[in-house]
PDB file of all heavy atoms in Angstrom:
ATOM      1  N   LYS A  45      -6.051   1.261  10.771  1.00 95.00           N
ATOM      2  CA  LYS A  45      -5.520  -0.073  11.007  1.00 95.00           C
ATOM      3  C   LYS A  45      -6.562  -1.125  10.635  1.00 95.00           C
ATOM      4  O   LYS A  45      -6.239  -2.143  10.010  1.00 95.00           O
ATOM      5  CB  LYS A  45      -5.129  -0.232  12.476  1.00 95.00           C
ATOM      6  CG  LYS A  45      -4.681  -1.637  12.844  1.00 95.00           C
ATOM      7  CD  LYS A  45      -4.384  -1.754  14.337  1.00 95.00           C
ATOM      8  CE  LYS A  45      -4.032  -3.197  14.713  1.00 95.00           C
ATOM      9  NZ  LYS A  45      -3.772  -3.332  16.157  1.00 95.00           N
ATOM     10  N   LEU A  49      -6.171  -4.083   7.817  1.00 92.00           N
ATOM     11  CA  LEU A  49      -6.240  -5.509   8.131  1.00 92.00           C
ATOM     12  C   LEU A  49      -7.037  -6.285   7.094  1.00 92.00           C
ATOM     13  O   LEU A  49      -6.777  -7.464   6.857  1.00 92.00           O
ATOM     14  CB  LEU A  49      -6.865  -5.704   9.526  1.00 92.00           C
ATOM     15  CG  LEU A  49      -5.955  -5.415  10.727  1.00 92.00           C
ATOM     16  CD1 LEU A  49      -6.763  -5.425  12.016  1.00 92.00           C
ATOM     17  CD2 LEU A  49      -4.823  -6.433  10.795  1.00 92.00           C
ATOM     18  N   VAL A  57       4.406   1.956   1.938  1.00 98.00           N
ATOM     19  CA  VAL A  57       5.285   3.079   1.618  1.00 98.00           C
ATOM     20  C   VAL A  57       4.528   4.360   1.935  1.00 98.00           C
ATOM     21  O   VAL A  57       3.381   4.531   1.515  1.00 98.00           O
ATOM     22  CB  VAL A  57       5.708   3.073   0.132  1.00 98.00           C
ATOM     23  CG1 VAL A  57       6.549   4.310  -0.185  1.00 98.00           C
ATOM     24  CG2 VAL A  57       6.503   1.812  -0.188  1.00 98.00           C
ATOM     25  N   SER A  64       4.424  20.224   6.142  1.00 90.00           N
ATOM     26  CA  SER A  64       5.450  20.215   7.183  1.00 90.00           C
ATOM     27  C   SER A  64       4.814  19.693   8.459  1.00 90.00           C
ATOM     28  O   SER A  64       3.644  19.996   8.752  1.00 90.00           O
ATOM     29  CB  SER A  64       5.993  21.632   7.419  1.00 90.00           C
ATOM     30  OG  SER A  64       6.756  21.679   8.619  1.00 90.00           O
ATOM     31  N   ASP A  74      -2.637   6.630  11.068  1.00 95.00           N
ATOM     32  CA  ASP A  74      -3.052   5.877  12.244  1.00 95.00           C
ATOM     33  C   ASP A  74      -1.809   5.315  12.934  1.00 95.00           C
ATOM     34  O   ASP A  74      -1.133   4.435  12.394  1.00 95.00           O
ATOM     35  CB  ASP A  74      -3.999   4.755  11.816  1.00 95.00           C
ATOM     36  CG  ASP A  74      -4.627   4.012  12.992  1.00 95.00           C
ATOM     37  OD1 ASP A  74      -4.062   4.073  14.112  1.00 95.00           O
ATOM     38  OD2 ASP A  74      -5.672   3.358  12.790  1.00 95.00           O
ATOM     39  N   ASN A 194      14.182  -7.767  -0.015  1.00 96.00           N
ATOM     40  CA  ASN A 194      15.088  -8.102   1.088  1.00 96.00           C
ATOM     41  C   ASN A 194      14.498  -7.788   2.450  1.00 96.00           C
ATOM     42  O   ASN A 194      14.733  -8.512   3.419  1.00 96.00           O
ATOM     43  CB  ASN A 194      16.420  -7.366   0.926  1.00 96.00           C
ATOM     44  CG  ASN A 194      17.161  -7.769  -0.324  1.00 96.00           C
ATOM     45  OD1 ASN A 194      16.992  -8.895  -0.809  1.00 96.00           O
ATOM     46  ND2 ASN A 194      17.963  -6.875  -0.878  1.00 96.00           N
ATOM     47  N   THR A 300     -15.916  24.104 -17.364  1.00 94.00           N
ATOM     48  CA  THR A 300     -17.302  23.991 -17.797  1.00 94.00           C
ATOM     49  C   THR A 300     -17.396  23.147 -19.061  1.00 94.00           C
ATOM     50  O   THR A 300     -18.300  22.312 -19.216  1.00 94.00           O
ATOM     51  CB  THR A 300     -17.905  25.387 -18.044  1.00 94.00           C
ATOM     52  OG1 THR A 300     -17.746  26.180 -16.863  1.00 94.00           O
ATOM     53  CG2 THR A 300     -19.382  25.288 -18.378  1.00 94.00           C
ATOM     54  N   LYS A 371      -9.182   1.301 -13.613  1.00 88.00           N
ATOM     55  CA  LYS A 371      -8.981   2.470 -12.756  1.00 88.00           C
ATOM     56  C   LYS A 371      -7.785   2.351 -11.813  1.00 88.00           C
ATOM     57  O   LYS A 371      -7.417   3.336 -11.173  1.00 88.00           O
ATOM     58  CB  LYS A 371     -10.243   2.771 -11.952  1.00 88.00           C
ATOM     59  CG  LYS A 371     -10.609   1.722 -10.920  1.00 88.00           C
ATOM     60  CD  LYS A 371     -11.885   2.135 -10.194  1.00 88.00           C
ATOM     61  CE  LYS A 371     -12.275   1.097  -9.152  1.00 88.00           C
ATOM     62  NZ  LYS A 371     -13.531   1.495  -8.453  1.00 88.00           N
ATOM     63  N   GLN A 395      -1.891   8.266 -30.534  1.00 80.00           N
ATOM     64  CA  GLN A 395      -1.668   9.443 -29.700  1.00 80.00           C
ATOM     65  C   GLN A 395      -2.731   9.535 -28.609  1.00 80.00           C
ATOM     66  O   GLN A 395      -3.913   9.320 -28.870  1.00 80.00           O
ATOM     67  CB  GLN A 395      -1.778  10.702 -30.568  1.00 80.00           C
ATOM     68  CG  GLN A 395      -0.540  11.003 -31.357  1.00 80.00           C
ATOM     69  CD  GLN A 395       0.502  11.684 -30.492  1.00 80.00           C
ATOM     70  OE1 GLN A 395       0.281  12.763 -29.976  1.00 80.00           O
ATOM     71  NE2 GLN A 395       1.620  11.048 -30.341  1.00 80.00           N
ATOM     72  N   PRO A 398      -7.609  13.742 -25.488  1.00 86.00           N
ATOM     73  CA  PRO A 398      -8.468  14.041 -24.334  1.00 86.00           C
ATOM     74  C   PRO A 398      -9.921  13.677 -24.586  1.00 86.00           C
ATOM     75  O   PRO A 398     -10.412  13.786 -25.720  1.00 86.00           O
ATOM     76  CB  PRO A 398      -8.297  15.557 -24.153  1.00 86.00           C
ATOM     77  CG  PRO A 398      -7.911  16.061 -25.515  1.00 86.00           C
ATOM     78  CD  PRO A 398      -7.068  14.967 -26.113  1.00 86.00           C
ATOM     79  N   GLY A 401     -12.046  16.001 -26.359  1.00 91.00           N
ATOM     80  CA  GLY A 401     -11.629  16.199 -27.739  1.00 91.00           C
ATOM     81  C   GLY A 401     -11.059  17.571 -28.019  1.00 91.00           C
ATOM     82  O   GLY A 401     -10.409  18.190 -27.175  1.00 91.00           O
ATOM     83  N   VAL A 417     -10.673  24.844 -38.719  1.00 96.00           N
ATOM     84  CA  VAL A 417      -9.303  25.369 -38.760  1.00 96.00           C
ATOM     85  C   VAL A 417      -8.362  24.469 -37.968  1.00 96.00           C
ATOM     86  O   VAL A 417      -7.272  24.103 -38.432  1.00 96.00           O
ATOM     87  CB  VAL A 417      -9.266  26.811 -38.212  1.00 96.00           C
ATOM     88  CG1 VAL A 417      -7.829  27.261 -37.977  1.00 96.00           C
ATOM     89  CG2 VAL A 417      -9.967  27.773 -39.171  1.00 96.00           C
ATOM     90  N   SER A 492       5.435  26.300 -41.787  1.00 95.00           N
ATOM     91  CA  SER A 492       5.248  26.764 -43.163  1.00 95.00           C
ATOM     92  C   SER A 492       3.972  26.194 -43.772  1.00 95.00           C
ATOM     93  O   SER A 492       3.192  26.911 -44.413  1.00 95.00           O
ATOM     94  CB  SER A 492       6.460  26.370 -44.015  1.00 95.00           C
ATOM     95  OG  SER A 492       6.284  26.783 -45.349  1.00 95.00           O
ATOM     96  N   ARG A 499      -6.353  28.363 -44.000  1.00 92.00           N
ATOM     97  CA  ARG A 499      -6.878  29.716 -44.104  1.00 92.00           C
ATOM     98  C   ARG A 499      -7.272  30.231 -42.716  1.00 92.00           C
ATOM     99  O   ARG A 499      -7.976  29.573 -41.965  1.00 92.00           O
ATOM    100  CB  ARG A 499      -8.098  29.742 -45.027  1.00 92.00           C
ATOM    101  CG  ARG A 499      -8.637  31.135 -45.333  1.00 92.00           C
ATOM    102  CD  ARG A 499      -9.796  31.054 -46.314  1.00 92.00           C
ATOM    103  NE  ARG A 499     -10.346  32.367 -46.627  1.00 92.00           N
ATOM    104  CZ  ARG A 499      -9.832  33.194 -47.526  1.00 92.00           C
ATOM    105  NH1 ARG A 499      -8.770  32.817 -48.226  1.00 92.00           N
ATOM    106  NH2 ARG A 499     -10.384  34.376 -47.753  1.00 92.00           N
TER     107      ARG A 499
END
Side-chain angles (χ1 to χ4, degrees):
K45 175 183 176 181
L49 283 171
V57 176
S64 167
D74 187 339
N194 297 333
T300 305
K371 67 180 180 181
Q395 280 280 298
V417 168
S492 179
R499 186 177 180 82

